[in-house]
Amino acid sequence: MSGSNEQWRVHVDPTRCIGSGICAGTAPKHFVLVDGLARPLAERVAPDDALVDAADSCPMEAVIVSEADGLRRIAPEP
């Protein structure tokens, strides 16, 4: 099976998010701040390096990127 159909799942843990906005600044096509907390614009997305950068940049590690159809976490590294 080709990797071109791969999808990633994006999650923001609302109990960890402090609304720094780094994710929205790093990956504006994927995150928005709502009532002071980050939210992904879509739960399932095509792979994008900006998501990895956003997850790695979150000071609270609230942004989690994983395989949509698997359990493997992509970012931040566990």
Side-chain angles (χ1 to χ4, degrees), residues 2-34:
S2 171
S4 63
N5 292 330
E6 182 181 4
Q7 290 248 299
W8 287 357
R9 179 170 304 200
V10 182
H11 174 72
V12 176
D13 183 340
T15 66
R16 299 187 86 161
C17 180
I18 59 171
S20 71
I22 294 172
C23 61
T26 304
K29 293 189 294 185
H30 298 288
F31 297 97
V32 65
L33 291 178
V34 177

